[in-house]
Amino acid sequence: MMSKKTMAMLLSWTLVLAVILSGCNNSSSDQEGETGGNGTDGKVTLKFMHLWPAGSSAQQNKLVNDIIQQYQTDHPNVTIKQEVLENEQYKNKLKILSASNELPDIGVTWAAGFLEPYVKGNLFAPVDDLLSGSLGEKFIAGTTEAYAIDGKTYALPIELNISPIYYNKAIFAKYNLQPPATYDEFLSVLKTLTENGEVPIALGNKDRWTGSLWYMYLANRLGGDALEKAINGSGKFDDPALTQAAAEVQKLVDMNAFNKGFNGLSNDEGKSEFMNEKAAMYLMGTWELPNFTTNPDIPQEFKDKIGFFKFPTIEGGKSDINSWVGGPGVGLFVAQNSKVNEEAQKFVQYFVEKWGESSVTEAGVIPATKVDTAQVQLPQLYTDLLNELNQASSLTLFADVQMKPAAAQAHLDMIQALFGKAVTPEDFVKNHQAAVDKGN
């Protein structure tokens, strides 16, 4: 079982996604109207602030507008006024509005690390009533927990990311290789590739969180939730599985599993090794899916070669193959002091359901709700990953965002040192324990 405390941590790479989605200096699409209001004639105005400008997030922006237009058609008494800001402007505006308790009726938020001050300030309304109905059954296991604080849920997630190992089917076929299900099979694949002069894995570890994905999966497959427990204090980093996972990382380095110079390359530089077919595999979040499916700038010939497999199981380990590293992305909140709270919650439910139905095909986003892949025409890679999500046994959030800032920094520094063989597995775990013990 994954710990709720662990699930309730900010997924920082959704911020990376949000930054990618931003870039347009669009200050606002509609500044008119007060923050919601109920007219005497039964008309309702909802103010909705979000971060999908038409310039930088065209598909998401279109999807939002389609949902709003349909909702207004179905509810003629409701008018929804949008305010649209790019990512950093959005966060700043949210802080300013919260200081004067003038939040929009509905807005976008990230999970606990971002969410907590707003909850503590009584600015976001609980949305547990929505989860107690049919909507609650539609969420993929482990997604809504990231928005729960002290037993109440304060936003509903609309995005989800998991981290598969993508692989080049043409390179695998050249050496009669199959996607490995066990770690021994995986090591055998590595051996075959290196013996034939191929680079097995693309990695840009200058960014460090990229290497953390490898460590996290090894820790999970060996020790189950040992890493989560060590981070939240209910366990310790001297758990043998955590030391062994570090040792396995260095074995991979010794096997020349990664491209040369990986510790000095950014993720984008490492990724280019895979995109240019100079490496057979690439472990990364599903935010990369459009590059392998719908991005018109990527040749179809390359996209057709890409498959994925789940991180292999390790004999004697405490985890199963359906346990993923990943987590939910942004979610929708309702303001605590909204004068139209009931109507706002109705719209949030509608939005989450419609977004779930349309986001994959229209925006290239994996939603936090289950998708019936039989009902939509999708690239096979999407369909397969969505089906995997529906069977996920657990989601473990990225280690650096489970930790407090100083410990997270120590973790990332240690990851780079581990991959660079500048620290022993024993000192790797000792330094982690010391950083977590400092408690800041």
Side-chain angles (χ1 to χ4, degrees), residues 151-332:
K152 290 183 180 178
T153 310
Y154 291 92
L156 296 181
I158 56 174
E159 294 178 350
L160 182 62
N161 293 304
I162 55 171
S163 308
I165 299 178
Y166 304 102
Y167 74 102
N168 187 309
K169 291 186 276 190
I171 296 176
F172 269 49
K174 188 176 179 181
Y175 304 105
N176 297 313
L177 298 172
Q178 298 298 321
T182 70
Y183 195 66
D184 284 343
E185 290 170 1
F186 175 69
L187 293 177
S188 177
V189 166
L190 295 183
K191 194 164 180 284
T192 299
L193 289 168
T194 54
E195 284 175 351
N196 285 281
E198 301 280 1
V199 174
I201 300 163
L203 175 67
N205 200 39
K206 187 178 181 182
D207 296 344
R208 303 170 301 172
W209 58 266
T210 45
S212 179
L213 293 177
W214 285 94
Y215 176 73
M216 281 195 72
Y217 265 125
L218 288 165
N220 173 270
R221 295 300 191 254
L222 286 162
D225 60 0
L227 180 60
E228 293 162 275
K229 286 180 173 175
I231 291 169
N232 70 33
S234 62
K236 295 284 186 185
F237 274 95
D238 63 4
D239 185 301
L242 301 185
T243 308
Q244 190 184 343
E248 288 298 331
V249 165
Q250 294 193 333
K251 281 184 193 171
L252 293 177
V253 172
D254 287 342
M255 289 180 72
N256 296 315
F258 307 105
N259 47 276
K260 284 181 182 173
F262 60 83
N263 248 1
L265 300 177
S266 69
N267 176 44
D268 280 349
E269 291 169 323
K271 178 172 71 176
S272 70
E273 297 289 303
F274 184 70
M275 302 299 290
N276 293 327
E277 301 193 63
K278 293 178 181 175
M281 292 172 277
Y282 179 53
L283 167 58
M284 192 48 58
T286 42
W287 53 78
E288 288 294 338
L289 262 176
N291 283 330
F292 309 136
T293 54
T294 56
N295 186 342
D297 297 331
I298 307 291
Q300 189 61 43
E301 184 187 359
F302 171 78
K303 290 187 279 199
D304 290 342
K305 293 177 184 175
I306 306 308
F308 79 92
F309 59 89
K310 295 177 269 195
F311 201 96
T313 54
I314 298 178
E315 188 178 352
K318 296 179 181 176
S319 177
D320 69 87
I321 203 159
N322 290 314
S323 178
W324 295 86
V325 170
V330 293
L332 297 186

Side-chain angles (χ1 to χ4, degrees), residues 237 407 410 428-440:
F237 274 95
F428 175 85
V429 295
K430 277 180 194 169
N431 290 340
H432 271 81
Q433 190 64 56
V436 169
D437 286 345
K438 281 185 183 175
N440 53 16

Side-chain angles (χ1 to χ4, degrees), residues 121-136:
N122 295 315
L123 294 163
F124 291 178
V127 289
D128 297 280
D129 287 350
L130 296 179
L131 287 173
S132 63
S134 60
L135 185 63

Side-chain angles (χ1 to χ4, degrees), residues 31-97:
Q31 296 277 9
E32 296 173 15
E34 297 188 8
T35 307
N38 232 336
T40 54
D41 54 1
K43 293 196 179 295
V44 176
T45 299
L46 292 175
K47 191 160 187 184
F48 178 29
M49 193 167 87
H50 65 80
L51 39 60
W52 297 291
S56 56
S57 306
Q59 295 305 105
Q60 285 92 335
N61 185 277
K62 180 181 182 298
L63 180 54
V64 170
N65 280 298
D66 288 348
I67 292 171
I68 287 173
Q69 189 175 349
Q70 188 61 51
Y71 191 82
Q72 290 180 153
T73 301
D74 295 346
H75 304 81
N77 64 313
V78 178
T79 301
I80 297 167
K81 291 187 176 293
Q82 295 181 68
E83 183 172 0
V84 192
L85 304 139
E86 61 84 22
N87 184 66
E88 291 307 309
Q89 286 183 334
Y90 178 89
K91 286 190 284 188
N92 290 334
K93 185 73 179 276
L94 206 62
K95 284 179 190 171
I96 292 165
L97 293 175

Side-chain angles (χ1 to χ4, degrees), residues 5 9 231 399-411 435-436 438-440:
K5 185 174 177 184
M9 305 299 294
I231 291 169
D400 57 314
V401 297
Q402 292 184 47
M403 299 170 172
K404 293 181 180 178
Q409 189 60 44
H411 167 70
V436 169
K438 281 185 183 175
N440 53 16

